[in-house]
Amino acid sequence: MTHTAVAYSMDDRSQREFDELVYRYYQQAYNIAYRLTGNAADAEDLVQEAFLRAYRFFDRYDRSMPFMNWFNRILTNLYIDEYRRRGRLRTVSIDEVYSNEDGDEGTTMDIPDSAPDPLERALSNEYREAIHEALQYLSPEFRVAVVLADMEGYSYEEIAEITKTSIGTVRSRIHRGRKQLRDHIRRRHPNLFERGDLK
Amino acid sequence: MNCRYVQSRLSAYLDFELSGAEQQQIRSHLEVCMECSSEFESLRRTKQLLKQMPVVKPRSCPEQVLLRVRHSSPVASRPLFGVRWHAPRFWQYAGGLALVSALIFWGRFEDPETTPLTTASPILTYTTTPSTPLLPAVAPELSTVYRPYSPPLFRRAPYPMYEPGLMPSVSYSVDPMLGYQPVSAWNTIPPQPKLIETQR
């Protein structure tokens, strides 16, 4: 009852503040949701639902915290809940990944090559799709950690705050998630890893 | 510092998330260990690939979100008394609990063999075992109302909650011309017991 009153009486200032935040962060939020869900329709649903929840609980938002840190907590929680609810958890066995790892990766280190690095060019659509697809093979927790760290540039501390876990857990998830991604992409597109000397 | 330790920290090293001393130690190790260095390069490449992924443009616009937010119920689905009343799982549990308690209460009663189904006069009503044919051959004059006995699936209440005549059962009336006629699914108390007694 009290909450209803609070929500109905969201004053104009809060309303305007919320609107501005939606305008400012909508694209970023959508991008994260798209990388997590893997498709546009689910991403739109996720973003809408997350903003709706943010609106309802806007009175609890602590202004000392960046909005996107708070919002990403809502978004990632929603995503993981929804993922579990749909029961389409696809886990990738770490053992399987490790057994497919080839042992001669170190040999590329000594070959000097003056050709332009493939990464210096824009990633072709094929590579983008491969990376996007590889992301979908990660478990939701790993995916959240990797997307927030490598695509959004959050620090481990921020990710720990968003996901409500310890920094040690975040470190482990990012490391294992990156390794799984690397192995998956390398199996499809080994040339992306051929030029090793990027120092 | 062995390779296993270094390799477990490579992502954190790559993200500058280690202490200064640890960063330095791993850097020194990578300069001399080719295996760890190669592992590090592949992780760095993976991070680079992810970073280069383009920002996806949404098809929808923020106005749509705001429109939906405006038209939504502002009441948050906050748990009331710690229970999420709107969660489907809550109703699943509640339904299961109701079913189990109904079965428990239904079964906590006396043996139907020794419990009369109704309090009707035995002169007018009697029950038979399933093996008995549904014919009033023994005492047709006593069986104006004939109620076949069927063993219940569950034990019934010795003292029914409702008027015994309103307990659901199938009854038959015997008509000399028409034979056995089902009267209704909701039986009434057999009529005029006093009348027959006075006739006697």
Side-chain angles (χ1 to χ4, degrees), chain A residues 19 26 35 156 192 195, chain B residues 15 45 54 60 68 70 78:
Chain A
D19 291 3
Y26 183 71
R35 294 305 174 198
Y156 286 16
L192 278 175
R195 297 159 206 278
Chain B
D15 298 329
R45 181 63 65 101
S60 53
R68 196 183 155 200
R70 294 282 187 283
R78 177 187 288 181

Side-chain angles (χ1 to χ4, degrees), chain A residues 3-4 7-8 15 19 22-23 26-27 30-31 34-35 40-41 44 48-49 51-52 55-57 60 105-106 109-110 117 119 121 123 128 131-132 146 150-151 155-156 171 175 178-179 181-182 192-193 195-196 198-199, chain B residues 7-15 17-18 30 34 37-66 68-70 72-78:
Chain A
H3 190 77
T4 310
Y8 269 121
Q15 196 76 59
D19 291 3
V22 172
Y23 280 112
Y26 183 71
Q27 179 151 336
Y30 177 84
N31 192 50
Y34 182 78
R35 294 305 174 198
E44 276 174 16
Q48 288 238 345
E49 193 58 37
F51 272 118
L52 194 62
Y55 177 75
R56 286 174 176 173
F57 292 102
R60 295 192 199 172
E105 54 196 291
M109 287 292 294
D110 298 324
D117 190 274
L119 293 178
R121 303 188 298 265
L123 280 174
R128 285 180 195 168
I131 295 161
H132 185 67
V146 168
D150 292 347
M151 291 180 159
S155 70
Y156 286 16
R171 182 189 293 170
H175 187 55
R178 270 187 200 151
K179 286 209 291 190
L181 266 178
R182 174 199 65 191
L192 278 175
F193 290 89
R195 297 159 206 278
L198 290 168
K199 281 176 187 173
Chain B
Q7 289 191 12
S8 71
R9 306 264 160 159
L10 281 179
S11 283
Y13 170 74
L14 177 60
D15 298 329
E17 291 280 353
L18 297 174
L30 290 179
M34 187 163 280
S37 179
S38 163
E39 177 81 2
F40 173 69
E41 284 308 323
S42 68
L43 288 173
R44 188 159 82 163
R45 181 63 65 101
T46 307
K47 184 180 174 174
Q48 265 184 319
L49 287 171
L50 288 166
K51 218 172 182 176
Q52 293 223 341
M53 290 291 277
V55 173
V56 187
K57 293 257 166 68
R59 293 177 304 185
S60 53
C61 54
E63 284 81 3
Q64 281 173 282
V65 169
L66 290 174
R68 196 183 155 200
V69 160
R70 294 282 187 283
S72 70
S73 161
V75 183
S77 58
R78 177 187 288 181

Side-chain angles (χ1 to χ4, degrees), chain B residues 154-170:
Chain B
F154 301 100
R155 292 180 173 191
R156 292 192 181 182
Y159 306 108
M161 282 180 285
Y162 304 108
E163 194 66 25
L166 295 176
M167 290 297 283
S169 67
V170 179

Side-chain angles (χ1 to χ4, degrees), chain A residues 54-68:
Chain A
Y55 177 75
R56 286 174 176 173
F57 292 102
F58 199 54
D59 57 320
R60 295 192 199 172
Y61 165 47
D62 175 11
R63 304 296 195 277
S64 64
M65 185 183 186
F67 175 74
M68 276 310 273

